[in-house]
Amino acid sequence: MDQFALISPEEEEEEEEEEEEQEEVEQYIPIDREPYYARYKLLIPERNSKKVKNNLLHRKMAEYFKKKKMEHVLKETDQDVDSQQKYEKKLQALAEFKILEARERNSTANELDDMRAQRDEQLALLNHQFDAMQSREKEVGSGLINTKTGREIPTKLVEQLIKRQKDKTTEIASKRLAYIKLRDRVGEKKDALHKLDVIGEDLHLIDYEQLQIEHASYTDKVKERDAELIRLRFKCSGSMQCLAHVREKCAALQMDMQQLKEQYEDVGSEADDVSVQFMLAITLGFQCRERLNCVKQERDNYRTSIRRLVDDSGLLTKPKLLSHMEQSLEEVKMLDPRIDEYKRHFEMTEQALKAIKDNLANNRTRNSTSSQSSEITKGRKSYKGRPTLFIPMLPPAS
């Protein structure tokens, strides 16, 4: 094309890829399924052997689940359809889907051709109108005068501005196309994420995860309750054993009670004889108590007399204290002359101290009188030949 194109090289590559895909659709050939059917017939015997093995494994699993008391797993479903018929139906549906896919590919290819033709027409019209606009701008701008300088605008500057306008328009077109593609991709990704979150009608992945969490919590609770049941069974067994043991003990006690009743009857006769002897013993006890009171009174009298004798004797009953008292008296006699010497020494020292104090008092009086007389003589001065008068002195200024 002589006119400039508003399409980048990346867009041209994408158009080429779309054309190649269209050619692949046109060259689509239906798949031959005959060799697959033959291979399926050959694999039927192997399928039977696998089926037998599967039944054996199912039996083992059933025995295992019965031991674990999980009979809810062994419940059969209501769908009794042959798997071979299901497979054939799936193949037929696949063939129909392939035919529909080929038709849709052809229809989309035709629509793409129509859209490309419309695009080429609109692109040619756009280029023609853009070239006409730029030629008109060049004609208008060639004779213009700059208001600041008052000179005519050069043609090179006009061409540069027109070229810049063309470059900017191409850049804007490429950016818009990239934005549209990214927007479509984002929409596709959002749809894919939404499809991943949605499992079916009114069924979401978040609900499934929540149900899984609840299932795990319920299974934990069931395990805890099973453990509690096991503990209670152990307790019940222990309590049953205790009850049996208690019953045996009760039977043995009843036998012992019967034997004790017989012994009690035998002892009752003996107790009558003993009661007579007991009465005799009581009478003897009263007599003994009377004699005991008299003996206690005599004992108390002897104790009081002994205490009086001890009080009257004083220190005679305590020889250690007597010996210690004699030693202390001897020591006092030995220390009496020392006390007299200390008293004499104290009186002499007291007299000496009094003499020293008197001497100190006399010396102080003498010193005081001498100091006063010296101060008087120093303070007296002659005034106009008169010794009796003295010069008055003012006190020093502070």
Side-chain angles (χ1 to χ4, degrees), residues 162-213:
I162 290 167
K163 188 177 181 182
R164 187 184 293 175
Q165 184 183 11
K166 186 177 180 181
D167 295 335
K168 292 295 180 182
T169 51
T170 53
E171 187 177 356
I172 289 164
S174 62
K175 294 291 182 183
R176 283 178 179 173
L177 183 61
Y179 170 73
I180 291 163
K181 287 180 179 179
L182 289 171
R183 185 184 64 189
D184 295 336
R185 286 180 185 175
V186 169
E188 290 175 357
K189 294 293 182 184
K190 285 182 179 179
D191 294 334
L193 288 171
H194 184 67
K195 287 178 182 178
L196 289 172
D197 291 334
V198 177
I199 299 168
E201 292 181 357
D202 297 332
L203 296 173
H204 297 279
L205 187 63
I206 296 167
D207 299 332
Y208 178 70
E209 291 176 354
Q210 186 67 30
L211 290 171
Q212 279 186 341
I213 293 164

Side-chain angles (χ1 to χ4, degrees), residues 216-280:
S217 64
Y218 285 133
T219 51
D220 294 334
K221 288 181 181 178
V222 168
K223 287 179 181 178
E224 290 177 358
R225 293 302 174 91
D226 290 334
E228 288 179 359
L229 286 171
I230 291 164
R231 290 173 188 170
L232 291 170
R233 283 172 185 170
F234 282 121
K235 286 182 180 179
C236 289
S237 62
S239 61
M240 291 294 288
Q241 291 175 2
C242 292
L243 285 170
H245 185 65
V246 168
R247 285 174 183 172
E248 291 176 358
K249 278 189 175 181
C250 288
L253 286 170
Q254 285 178 357
M255 294 293 289
D256 294 334
M257 289 290 287
Q258 289 178 357
Q259 291 177 1
L260 290 170
K261 283 180 181 178
E262 292 175 357
Q263 290 178 3
Y264 178 73
E265 290 176 355
D266 295 332
V267 170
S269 60
E270 294 177 359
D272 294 332
D273 299 332
V274 171
S275 62
V276 174
Q277 293 177 1
F278 182 70
M279 293 298 289
L280 293 171

Side-chain angles (χ1 to χ4, degrees), residues 52 60 84 104 125 130 141 155 177 205 218 286 299 323 379:
V52 172
K60 288 182 179 180
Q84 187 175 0
E104 287 178 357
L125 180 63
F130 189 74
T155 56
L177 183 61
L205 187 63
Y218 285 133
F286 283 120
R299 184 195 65 186
S323 63

